[in-house]
Amino acid sequence: MISVDPPQGKRDVFLYIVKIKLQDIGQSPDYRLITHQCLLPAAAVGFLTVSSVITMSAPFFLGKVIDVIYSNSTQDLTSSLTALCALLSGVFLCGAAANATRVYLMQTSGQRIVRRLRSSLFSSLLRQEVGFFDQTRTGELINRLSSDTLLIGRSVTENLSDGLRALAQASVGVGMMFFVSPQLAMFVLSIVPPLAIVAVIYGRYLRKVSVLTQDSLAEATQLSEERIGNIRTVRAFGKEMLEMKKYDGKVDFVLDLAYKEAFARAGFFGLTGLSGNLIVLAVLYKGGLLAGAAHMTVGELSSFLMYAFWVGLSIGGLSSFYSELMKGFGAGSRIWELLDRKPMMPFNEGLVIAPEKFKGALEFCDVGFMYPSRPDAPIFQGLNLSVPSGSVMAVVGPSGSGKSTLVSLLLRLYDPSTGSIYIDGHNVRHLNPLWLRSKIGTVSQEPVLFSCSISENIAYGAEDPSSVTQEQIQRVADIANALGFIENFPKGFNTVVGEKGVLLSGGQKQRIAIARALLKNPRILLLDEATSALDAENEYLVQEALDRLMEGRTVLIIAHRLSTIQNADAVAVLDQCRVVECGKHEQLLQNRNGLFSKLMEKQSNLLRSRDAAMSTP
């Protein structure tokens, strides 16, 4: 497969697009598809050449028609004019068909390039480490995937086609102008060099404005995506007017940039339009003098005038092509950075342990960690913890002590800053991350569901969701105590849960998340307050199911409730960036001055206060 390195500068963009096309071909085993990928761009260029040649031959032949009209006698005029016009009609029809085919091929080729760019960018984003997303705004990434890729695809296909057409017409037109009258051509084209200098200056300015515009659009997209996604929070605090004002400020800045671009564009295209009119006026002035002196025929002057007109149009087309290309480069600068970024953690590389040898023993050795977005706030320093294979370890501690971070480290969403984590004696840095996560089941404190059906959300836990049967889904839902409320819905398992499961209650979402983990049948189970949103009755039923699920598996439970802790084989207490206590539940309670005893005492007092409040009439 051909490696594709994103371009470092604007001169490499076309080479990059060519490499993308070659990569598509290299990945395709279908000979017909390979031929299709190669022939379409070549055919588009061929049709472009045909249509441009026919278009630029028109003024020459039309000049001949005028000469026939003025030079032939009345008897010969009809036959000669009929034959010539019939021939030109056929030629123009072929040119129209070639031009239409060119447009179709270029547009479809552009859509394929946009599709490939979006696919490559999305794949690159999903390969990035979690720390990258901690520091990058979601709205910005969405804007790159949507509008920026479309702008680039349009710049290097449809816009490129129009630019090549304008270049070909301008080149042929200038050549024909010199062929018809070199003296008149030199006089007329003296206006082109100053116009080219202005075009370069304008293009550079437009590229700079385009970068600012795309960045500003990304900020506006980020704001709207985040506020709409959290509309319940916005509404609960009554901040609709504030958010409207913030968004208006973002789009007002985009509008200001659009005004600047429109002002520059108006001045530039006004200048090019004036130049085209001056060219035509110069042709009429100088050509009239030459025709009057019998140095040119009327047909030659007419041909020259039409060529000058086409050259003027082509110069305007080149100006538009250059400005759109600069906008494409401006939009592409951020995409190149994302495509070129190498993830800090491997995506699908490393050791895979044979199933019969994988036991699931966990060990944290002198682990230190701080989040990449908060390098000055250590979470762990010298943390040591051992979880034997097949045992249940409960982890407790004050809020912010790093309990949930243990889950993130085991899933290898992050790597320790210092120290190592071992699974069955293998450093997790050496294990294949995709394989490792396939062997770990997790239910988080705040489970997030996808905006699809309940059945699809549960099946997501399987290695191949498409192969999961409805019977398997119903079985794990029953074990997770979710079958009852699911069947009460009018559409049952086909009920759509809404974005992030917003149409379900907290307890319902958590039970679906538990069913999803059950379907995965993992060797290692990570439960981050998995029963925290359940009432007493459902907690008992789900805990009973989890107890059966935990048999023979290595389980790490992030817990506060006494009922969860006392059933664990051991309890680890986190505080001050490390494990301060570890042992059996009963042993830790005997240490009255220990942190575990104090935490349990606070929970007991809280429960007594709640019971007393409920019993008060």
Side-chain angles (χ1 to χ4, degrees):
M1 184 176 67
I2 300 172
S3 63
V4 177
D5 296 323
Q8 301 300 318
K10 63 182 181 181
R11 296 179 181 177
D12 300 327
V13 171
F14 296 111
L15 179 61
Y16 177 71
I17 298 298
V18 170
K19 285 185 176 182
I20 283 180
K21 300 299 292 181
L22 292 176
Q23 189 180 62
D24 280 337
I25 296 172
Q27 292 175 341
S28 171
D30 191 337
Y31 176 78
R32 290 174 298 177
L33 182 58
I34 294 174
T35 305
H36 181 75
Q37 292 276 358
C38 291
L39 288 182
L40 284 185
V45 174
F47 283 112
L48 169 65
T49 303
V50 172
S51 64
S52 298
V53 170
I54 291 175
T55 299
M56 296 311 296
S57 67
F60 179 78
F61 288 112
L62 291 176
K64 294 299 181 182
V65 171
I66 294 174
D67 282 340
V68 167
I69 295 174
Y70 278 95
S71 61
N72 285 356
S73 63
T74 306
Q75 295 179 347
D76 297 334
L77 177 62
T78 302
S79 58
S80 300
L81 192 60
T82 301
L84 188 56
C85 288
L87 175 63
L88 289 179
S89 297
V91 171
F92 292 159
L93 183 62
C94 294
N99 192 38
T101 306
R102 168 194 70 91
V103 172
Y104 172 78
L105 293 178
M106 278 299 182
Q107 285 194 349
T108 54
S109 179
Q111 291 302 318
R112 286 195 299 273
I113 288 178
V114 170
R115 182 262 172 205
R116 180 59 183 166
L117 274 174
R118 286 174 174 168
S119 178
S120 299
L121 181 57
F122 188 70
S123 298
S124 177
L125 292 176
L126 289 189
R127 283 176 166 81
Q128 301 303 320
E129 73 281 3
V130 174
F132 166 79
F133 296 98
D134 292 343
Q135 303 177 69
T136 308
R137 297 170 295 183
T138 303
E140 178 181 349
L141 300 179
I142 293 174
N143 194 70
R144 305 299 174 217
L145 275 170
S146 55
S147 63
D148 286 7
T149 52
L150 183 62
L151 187 55
I152 292 172
R154 189 176 298 159
S155 296
V156 298
T157 52
E158 299 172 45
N159 183 56
L160 176 61
S161 173
D162 293 338
L164 291 175
R165 179 179 173 84
L167 179 62
Q169 291 179 351
S171 301
V172 174
V174 170
M176 291 302 297
M177 288 168 67
F178 276 98
F179 176 77
V180 174
S181 176
Q183 183 181 1
L184 183 56
M186 290 293 295
F187 176 79
V188 169
L189 295 177
S190 60
I191 197 173
V192 173
L195 187 64
I197 296 174
V198 174
V200 171
I201 297 173
Y202 166 74
R204 290 178 177 177
Y205 173 78
L206 187 63
R207 183 185 181 188
K208 185 184 300 183
V209 173
S210 177
V211 171
L212 291 175
T213 301
Q214 294 304 117
D215 288 344
S216 302
L217 282 173
E219 291 179 3
T221 303
Q222 159 66 17
L223 180 67
S224 61
E225 186 270 339
E226 189 176 60
R227 270 43 173 192
I228 294 174
N230 296 281
I231 186 62
R232 284 166 176 78
T233 302
V234 174
R235 185 139 300 171
F237 284 89
K239 298 297 183 181
E240 292 91 345
M241 301 304 296
L242 176 63
E243 298 303 340
M244 292 177 193
K245 185 176 180 181
K246 286 183 180 179
Y247 188 75
D248 286 345
K250 297 290 185 182
V251 294
D252 282 345
F253 184 67
V254 175
L255 182 61
D256 290 340
L257 293 174
Y259 283 150
K260 293 180 180 179
E261 179 184 342
F263 181 78
R265 194 179 185 90
F268 179 70
F269 283 98
L271 179 61
T272 56
L274 175 63
S275 301
N277 292 329
L278 290 177
I279 288 176
V280 174
L281 185 60
V283 170
L284 291 174
Y285 172 74
K286 186 67 175 179
L289 295 178
L290 292 174
H295 293 296
M296 293 181 71
T297 66
V298 175
E300 289 174 340
L301 178 59
S302 301
S303 297
F304 194 98
L305 182 61
M306 284 184 281
Y307 277 120
F309 177 74
W310 277 112
V311 169
L313 288 180
S314 300
I315 290 175
L318 285 173
S319 303
S320 178
F321 159 72
Y322 186 69
S323 63
E324 290 298 319
L325 192 62
M326 290 299 100
K327 290 174 69 174
F329 287 140
S333 60
R334 298 293 185 267
I335 291 183
W336 309 145
E337 293 175 5
L338 293 174
L339 286 170
D340 194 35
R341 189 182 190 277
K342 303 298 182 183
M344 303 297 293
M345 298 173 63
F347 174 68
N348 190 17
E349 304 170 3
L351 177 67
V352 174
I353 304 175
E356 63 274 8
K357 295 182 179 180
F358 185 61
K359 305 300 180 182
L362 309 176
E363 187 173 3
F364 295 79
C365 295
D366 201 28
V367 170
F369 175 73
M370 65 280 294
Y371 285 100
S373 58
R374 301 194 304 269
D376 298 330
I379 306 298
F380 297 136
Q381 289 180 334
L383 181 140
N384 292 280
L385 180 64
S386 180
V387 185
S389 173
S391 65
V392 179
M393 173 69 73
V395 179
V396 300
S399 178
S401 59
K403 301 183 295 298
S404 297
T405 303
L406 288 178
V407 174
S408 298
L409 291 176
L410 283 174
L411 287 170
R412 212 185 169 196
L413 304 181
Y414 305 92
D415 276 337
S417 306
T418 58
S420 301
I421 301 173
Y422 296 91
I423 296 181
D424 290 344
H426 299 279
N427 193 323
V428 294
R429 293 178 183 271
H430 302 153
L431 298 177
N432 186 301
L434 286 184
W435 171 86
L436 174 63
R437 293 167 193 143
S438 70
K439 301 302 179 184
I440 300 178
T442 179
V443 180
S444 63
Q445 186 175 4
E446 297 179 1
V448 176
L449 305 181
F450 294 102
S451 182
C452 54
S453 68
I454 293 175
S455 180
E456 291 173 301
N457 272 289
I458 295 176
Y460 197 78
E463 184 174 351
D464 182 11
S466 62
S467 64
V468 177
T469 64
Q470 194 63 30
E471 290 74 16
Q472 291 175 303
I473 294 174
Q474 290 179 351
R475 181 179 61 83
V476 295
D478 189 22
I479 296 174
N481 196 33
L483 187 61
F485 75 80
I486 293 174
E487 291 182 338
N488 287 332
F489 290 140
K491 295 185 179 180
F493 281 90
N494 293 323
T495 301
V496 177
V497 302
E499 187 176 8
K500 299 181 181 179
V502 70
L503 300 180
L504 301 178
S505 68
Q508 289 171 338
K509 286 194 295 184
Q510 210 143 21
R511 279 175 280 177
I512 291 176
I514 291 171
R516 184 169 59 188
L518 285 166
L519 188 62
K520 193 174 186 180
N521 193 24
R523 183 69 189 133
I524 300 173
L525 190 62
L526 307 178
L527 305 176
D528 188 356
E529 294 286 359
T531 61
S532 63
L534 305 179
D535 55 36
E537 180 181 358
N538 285 329
E539 179 188 1
Y540 172 78
L541 295 174
V542 173
Q543 189 63 54
E544 187 179 51
L546 290 176
D547 288 341
R548 292 194 300 268
L549 174 66
M550 290 187 293
E551 291 181 2
R553 291 178 169 85
T554 306
V555 184
L556 190 68
I557 304 176
I558 309 300
H560 288 109
R561 295 193 178 187
L562 182 61
S563 58
T564 306
I565 297 170
Q566 63 188 8
N567 294 326
D569 296 324
V571 179
V573 184
L574 293 182
D575 192 33
Q576 302 297 322
C577 303
R578 57 178 54 86
V579 176
V580 295
E581 293 180 283
C582 187
K584 292 283 188 180
H585 168 258
E586 297 81 4
Q587 295 175 344
L588 296 179
L589 282 179
Q590 292 176 1
N591 182 7
R592 310 303 298 179
N593 295 323
L595 179 60
F596 181 75
S597 295
K598 295 178 181 178
L599 290 173
M600 292 301 100
E601 183 178 356
K602 289 180 181 179
Q603 186 182 90
S604 298
N605 293 336
L606 181 62
L607 290 174
R608 283 195 295 269
S609 299
R610 187 184 66 181
D611 293 341
M614 293 177 64
S615 62
T616 301

